[in-house]
Amino acid sequence: MPTPPTPLPQGRSRKLLLTGAAGGLGTVLRPRLKAYADLLRVSDIGSMAPARAGEEVVVCDLADPRAVDALVQGCDAIVHLGGVSVERPFEEILPANIQGIYNVYEAARRHGVRRIIFASSNHAIGFYRQNQVIDADVLPRPDGYYGLSKVFGENLARFYFDRYGIETVCIRIGSSFPEAKDRRMLVTWLSYDDLEQLIVRGLFTPHVGHTIVYGASANRDSWWDNSRAAHLGFAPQDSSEPFRAKVEAQPLPDPTDPANQYQGGGFVKAGPFND
Ligand code: NAI
Ligand code: 15L
């Protein structure tokens, strides 16, 4: 496992739950998060690699409250990545992302989980313009049903903190992939190492309450001001600069295309689906 280059808060979770473990980020994070847990329970609705030492593998539909209750039982922290991860019709978003996160927090409340890391998204604020710099206190401006579900998740997490004291770090992830593939991603790119750092800081920094943090690497240009999450000590180590030359060799973007005007990129013009 690569060692994160910055000092990280000390800590181990006795039993850590990772949802969305079969997905792109779940597959990357599964071996990395094992280093921070005595036992890592990994879960998804889809098929996953078999359990390795110190792991439990549980197939579970997040929309099923009884299954989620059993999934969460015995865990002391949760990294919640599971759900629909792109813009889709509301009927698909509702069970996986909205009912799903409600089930996770209700189970967390019942079983005494004290800390959750929620994979929110830049699409919670996707209708801010690309020439604006925003912090975590701005009003959400979701760019679709997917973004709306992330706003719901962030607000649900705030309610469960105010009412029950369950602490959450909501990471508004930019674009976490191996490479920045277009001009927008030169700004929004988050390396896997920097994502790991954010999650580990989210898990082990004392007293995070309800924190919203933007997940981007130390890219040359930024739309996001993380001063409201300074207590996490997030210090991204990577940058999208190595991808700049290849990206800028692509044709110039059309400045009248909404995908090039708003932070959410192409998501702002996805759908409608039901006409
Ligand atoms: P992904 O689509 O590869 O993985 C999501 C996983 O959730 C899949 O394995 C899927 O089977 C699972 N899932 C979907 N519905 C489910 C259900 N009803 N019950 C149980 N599991 C279900 O997405 P990726 O890229 O790994 O993203 C992980 C999380 O991070 C997602 O919540 C996504 O919204 C969020 N995120 C990711 C970004 C990125 O750049 N990769 C950017 C912003 C947010
Ligand atoms: C997201 O929220 C998606 O999960 C991911 O697939 C990317 O589209 C990313 O945002 C992005 O905005 O680049």
Side-chain angles (χ1 to χ4, degrees):
M1 191 204 75
T3 308
T6 50
L8 288 169
Q10 295 297 304
R12 272 184 90 70
S13 177
R14 278 173 295 120
K15 192 179 285 191
L16 178 64
L17 170 62
L18 172 66
T19 70
L25 296 184
T27 302
V28 169
L29 289 166
R30 178 174 167 178
R32 294 177 181 228
L33 292 183
K34 179 66 195 74
Y36 303 99
D38 294 332
L39 196 138
L40 182 67
R41 183 177 288 170
V42 298
S43 180
D44 203 285
I45 198 171
S47 63
M48 294 160 279
R52 299 157 199 148
E55 285 186 343
E56 292 172 359
V57 174
V58 181
V59 175
C60 171
D61 182 352
L62 290 164
D64 178 342
R66 293 169 68 114
V68 173
D69 189 79
L71 178 69
V72 167
Q73 187 169 23
C75 295
D76 43 26
I78 301 172
V79 177
H80 181 47
L81 306 184
V84 174
S85 66
V86 291
E87 181 61 346
R88 297 294 301 155
F90 184 70
E91 293 75 11
E92 291 179 36
I93 300 285
L94 180 62
N97 292 21
I98 295 180
Q99 184 75 49
I101 196 164
Y102 167 76
N103 290 342
V104 168
Y105 275 79
E106 267 299 279
R109 177 186 66 76
R110 280 192 293 268
H111 295 297
V113 175
R114 306 307 301 162
R115 182 70 65 97
I116 298 177
I117 310 302
F118 169 46
S120 184
S121 170
N122 70 86
H123 296 288
I125 48 81
F127 261 121
Y128 283 93
R129 288 189 170 266
Q130 293 188 358
N131 59 9
Q132 286 178 279
V133 175
I134 57 174
D135 69 15
D137 283 348
V138 295
L139 285 177
R141 295 187 75 169
D143 57 27
Y145 304 116
Y146 167 68
L148 276 162
S149 77
K150 296 299 187 181
V151 175
F152 176 82
E154 291 181 358
N155 285 333
L156 183 93
R158 185 174 294 274
F159 166 66
Y160 275 82
F161 175 64
D162 290 340
R163 179 73 198 269
Y164 303 112
I166 298 173
E167 294 191 293
T168 297
V169 174
C170 302
I171 307 176
R172 287 181 178 166
I173 302 172
S175 307
S176 197
F177 296 98
E179 292 187 10
K181 290 175 278 196
D182 56 29
R183 282 177 170 79
R184 175 177 169 274
M185 281 178 63
L186 289 176
V187 183
T188 60
W189 187 67
L190 174 67
S191 73
Y192 294 146
D193 284 352
D194 286 339
L195 173 60
E196 177 186 343
Q197 186 200 145
L198 256 181
I199 291 174
V200 173
R201 287 181 182 277
L203 282 172
F204 300 116
T205 300
H207 312 304
V208 295
H210 178 272
T211 296
I212 295 175
V213 62
Y214 291 97
S217 285
N219 304 324
R220 188 191 74 182
D221 304 312
S222 174
W223 300 324
W224 303 324
D225 167 359
N226 261 338
S227 53
R228 302 296 298 165
H231 51 282
L232 291 181
F234 175 50
Q237 299 298 298
D238 295 315
S239 157
S240 60
E241 279 313 288
F243 312 114
R244 182 171 297 280
K246 189 170 161 193
V247 166
E248 291 187 344
Q250 297 168 8
L252 278 175
D254 171 4
T256 68
D257 183 343
N260 299 322
Q261 296 175 334
Y262 293 99
Q263 297 189 5
F267 280 51
V268 303
K269 55 181 194 178
F273 298 99
N274 291 333
D275 292 348

